[in-house]
Amino acid sequence: MNTNKIKKKIYIKTWGCQMNEHDSSIIKNILQKEKKYTVTNKPEISNILILNTCSIREKAQEKLFHQLGRWKKLKQKNPDIIIAVGGCVATQEGKKIYKRAKFINIIFGPQSLHKLPKLLYQSYKNKNLIIDIKGKSLKKFDYSPQKQTKKFTSFVTIMEGCNKYCSFCIVPYTRGKEVSRDNKEIISEIKKLTTIGVREIILLGQNVNSYHINNTLNKKKYRFSDLLYSISEIPEIQRIRYITSHPKDFSDDIIQAYKYIPQLTNFLHLPVQSGSNKILRLMKRGYTIEVYENIINKLKHIRPKINISSDFIIGFPGETEDDFEKTLHFISKINFDTSYSFIYSKRPGTRAAKLIDNTSIEEKKNRLSILQKKISQQSLQWRRRMLGTTQSVLVEGIAKNNIQELYGRTENNRIINFEGNPKFIGKFIKLKVIDINYNTYLKGEVT
């Protein structure tokens, strides 16, 4: 009997950060292990529709209901379709989603992914709404994807949640407080990934540098820096990256790791959010511009060529023209390479939602445009400095815009295209940068 004919087809749609993307990979792995399901990229032929959501940006809920409206039409044609909504919006809104979309079947949270097979079984058994959005379990990581196909770079989640409670952020309310995975489990997962070709690891967490495990035997805390050293001892792993970290927890032991761990890349994403101490206080970030600058200066003393990326929130309540000018000045001073920048989004339930906001949306858009233009100019200057240099590149595959070329990634997180033998894929090679693109990628040649 061909079991594929009776497998239920699942379509998974993902919104949000790398954590959400990784969660969707776990969902896919959990359900495929059941051998009753197969994943498809065509929602119109699916038996199960899963939406994994993010609530960081404003209007996430409206975006959710627009998508559910499109899926409602599919369910009207086939009433047996199961619709499941997961992720941060699901945790934040809970049963409110069902009140506006009574045709959905399951609402689940980021910590209950591992329960999906059971939730689906229950949903097929009775058509009542099922909600499972609570809990602090790390059990979902038992199902971290271990693809048997070749891959060369991989995300590995090391912790969940956040304890910072920044005034603008909903994450502590949707993903809960910080919970760190056991270091032995993390190392075991990475070692398994090396068997399928992984040579670069990207560690994930809402705040990776607050990672810690308490050792009950010697009462010594195993910290994020300890984890970095442990990973560096795996011979096959030649690069280590991580996102996202918090300046408040960027301690000297992490900075010193850059001196002793060559696998740590010359690229760091460290969100600052604003160049104004007044705004940082309102944001409840727990550090000053001077503290942030001191971290960067210490890193640059060890790694003079390190590239710094950051996040910026524009138009936070109370931000004046002077505060914005301080941010622009700080961007120049640090010489940020790239950034993620957004207009402030009011999130219900956060402390910032109660602050008075007198800045017009037109002014916020104007400030965002100015900031992004400045970052783009600095990023171009960073790329120009790479012209003529020789870069270590992990070759990842065929170039997306030219099948006659290969592409890889430099240590400072730049995509570089080049003509070369497909045997280079999955290997580190030396490329000379011979041209730059005014958007993001570089052109290289084998040295």
Side-chain angles (χ1 to χ4, degrees):
M1 181 186 293
N2 187 349
T3 56
N4 285 330
K5 288 185 178 180
I6 60 172
K7 285 184 177 181
K8 296 188 184 300
K9 296 182 179 67
I10 295 175
Y11 174 77
I12 303 171
K13 189 172 185 66
T14 310
W15 293 332
C17 63
Q18 288 89 349
M19 293 286 287
N20 277 53
E21 294 287 348
H22 192 57
D23 279 352
S24 288
S25 297
I26 293 175
I27 291 171
K28 183 177 177 180
N29 199 48
I30 289 170
L31 295 177
Q32 286 182 330
K33 277 190 174 182
E34 288 289 301
K35 297 182 180 179
K36 294 186 289 188
Y37 308 103
T38 182
V39 176
T40 178
N41 59 2
K42 296 179 180 179
E44 64 274 8
I45 65 168
S46 299
N47 307 103
I48 300 165
L49 300 169
I50 298 175
L51 183 56
N52 189 17
T53 62
C54 175
S55 63
I56 295 298
R57 307 307 304 150
E58 191 176 13
K59 299 181 180 177
Q61 293 92 333
E62 292 310 309
K63 187 179 177 183
L64 163 70
F65 290 115
H66 286 313
Q67 181 61 58
L68 290 178
R70 289 188 284 271
W71 285 359
K72 181 180 181 180
K73 295 175 183 177
L74 296 177
K75 187 150 185 169
Q76 286 172 339
K77 293 179 182 177
N78 180 7
D80 291 330
I81 286 177
I82 297 291
I83 297 179
V85 179
C88 293
V89 172
T91 302
Q92 182 183 340
E93 297 299 310
K95 200 168 184 178
K96 293 179 185 176
I97 299 171
Y98 181 72
K99 289 180 179 178
R100 285 185 58 180
K102 293 187 180 295
F103 51 89
I104 65 173
N105 304 88
I106 300 169
I107 299 173
F108 65 97
Q111 306 298 343
S112 50
L113 306 186
H114 59 287
K115 298 181 183 178
L116 266 178
K118 181 181 177 182
L119 299 180
L120 287 170
Y121 173 78
Q122 290 173 345
S123 186
Y124 274 112
K125 200 171 181 181
N126 69 73
K127 297 300 180 181
N128 296 330
L129 173 69
I130 298 170
I131 301 179
D132 194 328
I133 57 175
K134 294 183 179 180
K136 293 169 59 177
S137 173
L138 288 174
K139 191 172 177 61
K140 70 178 183 181
F141 293 113
D142 294 345
Y143 302 90
S144 289
Q146 307 289 346
K147 295 181 181 178
Q148 297 308 306
T149 55
K150 276 281 182 183
K151 58 187 300 192
F152 313 110
T153 182
S154 181
F155 292 108
V156 174
T157 302
I158 66 170
M159 62 174 297
E160 279 271 348
C162 183
N163 293 347
K164 292 295 176 284
Y165 289 91
C166 299
S167 65
F168 57 82
C169 187
I170 198 71
V171 166
Y173 305 98
T174 57
R175 286 197 178 254
K177 292 187 177 181
E178 292 170 356
V179 187
S180 296
R181 290 181 68 191
D182 183 78
N183 59 300
K184 295 183 182 65
E185 289 181 8
I186 295 169
I187 297 302
S188 175
E189 180 178 339
I190 293 172
K191 286 180 177 178
K192 287 178 183 177
L193 286 167
T194 65
T195 65
I196 58 170
V198 170
R199 297 296 174 261
E200 177 182 83
I201 288 296
I202 306 169
L203 305 176
L204 287 180
Q206 270 74 36
N207 179 16
V208 291
N209 48 349
S210 69
Y211 172 92
H212 70 274
I213 297 292
N214 293 316
N215 191 318
T216 53
L217 294 176
N218 58 19
K219 296 183 179 180
K220 186 179 179 182
K221 185 182 288 187
Y222 183 92
R223 305 162 298 177
F224 180 58
S225 59
D226 297 316
L227 180 63
L228 293 175
Y229 284 107
S230 296
I231 295 170
S232 73
E233 293 170 2
I234 303 173
E236 296 87 350
I237 297 302
Q238 297 176 55
R239 272 191 192 162
I240 304 170
R241 304 184 191 272
Y242 54 86
I243 46 178
T244 295
S245 51
H246 194 292
K248 190 176 180 181
D249 291 331
F250 213 97
S251 49
D252 284 342
D253 58 295
I254 299 173
I255 294 171
Q256 283 300 304
Y258 280 84
K259 184 176 182 179
Y260 300 107
I261 304 177
Q263 294 94 326
L264 278 169
T265 61
N266 266 344
F267 183 88
L268 171 67
H269 183 74
L270 186 62
V272 65
Q273 306 300 359
S274 174
S276 163
N277 281 332
K278 183 193 87 178
I279 297 302
L280 290 179
R281 284 194 298 272
L282 289 172
M283 289 179 170
K284 306 292 183 186
R285 290 291 286 173
Y287 57 86
T288 62
I289 287 305
E290 291 75 21
V291 167
Y292 186 99
E293 185 178 357
N294 189 41
I295 293 169
I296 302 304
N297 288 340
K298 287 179 180 178
L299 280 169
K300 286 184 176 179
H301 180 73
I302 296 171
R303 299 279 189 95
K305 296 182 180 179
I306 193 167
N307 289 44
I308 307 298
S309 171
S310 197
D311 292 350
F312 294 93
I313 295 175
I314 305 305
F316 188 82
E319 182 189 80
T320 63
E321 185 65 33
D322 181 59
D323 294 317
F324 178 64
E325 288 298 327
K326 286 178 179 177
T327 297
L328 293 180
H329 174 72
F330 193 66
I331 287 171
S332 297
K333 193 173 186 179
I334 300 297
N335 195 13
F336 290 105
D337 178 13
T338 56
S339 78
Y340 296 99
S341 50
F342 308 95
I343 290 173
Y344 166 72
S345 295
K346 184 177 180 179
R347 309 311 297 129
T350 61
R351 284 179 285 185
K354 299 176 183 178
L355 297 176
I356 297 172
D357 185 2
N358 292 324
T359 308
S360 69
I361 187 62
E362 291 76 16
E363 177 59 26
K364 291 178 182 179
K365 288 179 178 178
N366 182 52
R367 290 178 188 176
L368 180 66
S369 176
I370 293 170
L371 182 144
Q372 290 179 338
K373 184 177 180 180
K374 186 174 187 64
I375 293 285
S376 294
Q377 289 170 343
Q378 291 183 181
S379 184
L380 178 58
Q381 290 303 317
W382 277 106
R383 290 199 298 281
R384 282 177 173 165
R385 291 188 192 101
M386 296 177 73
L387 266 175
T389 64
T390 299
Q391 300 286 326
S392 175
V393 174
L394 174 57
V395 185
E396 297 184 24
I398 305 296
K400 295 176 182 178
N401 58 348
N402 186 346
I403 61 172
Q404 302 301 317
E405 294 181 334
L406 302 176
Y407 83 96
R409 195 175 298 270
T410 63
E411 190 179 336
N412 64 348
N413 213 31
R414 289 285 194 278
I415 296 293
I416 183 165
N417 289 4
F418 67 101
E419 293 181 4
N421 194 313
K423 71 179 183 180
F424 291 141
I425 295 174
K427 295 182 172 62
F428 284 89
I429 65 169
K430 298 291 185 181
L431 293 179
K432 182 180 180 180
V433 181
I434 59 173
D435 197 8
I436 64 170
N437 175 281
Y438 280 81
N439 292 319
T440 53
Y441 72 88
L442 310 170
K443 180 83 172 178
E445 66 178 12
V446 180
T447 59

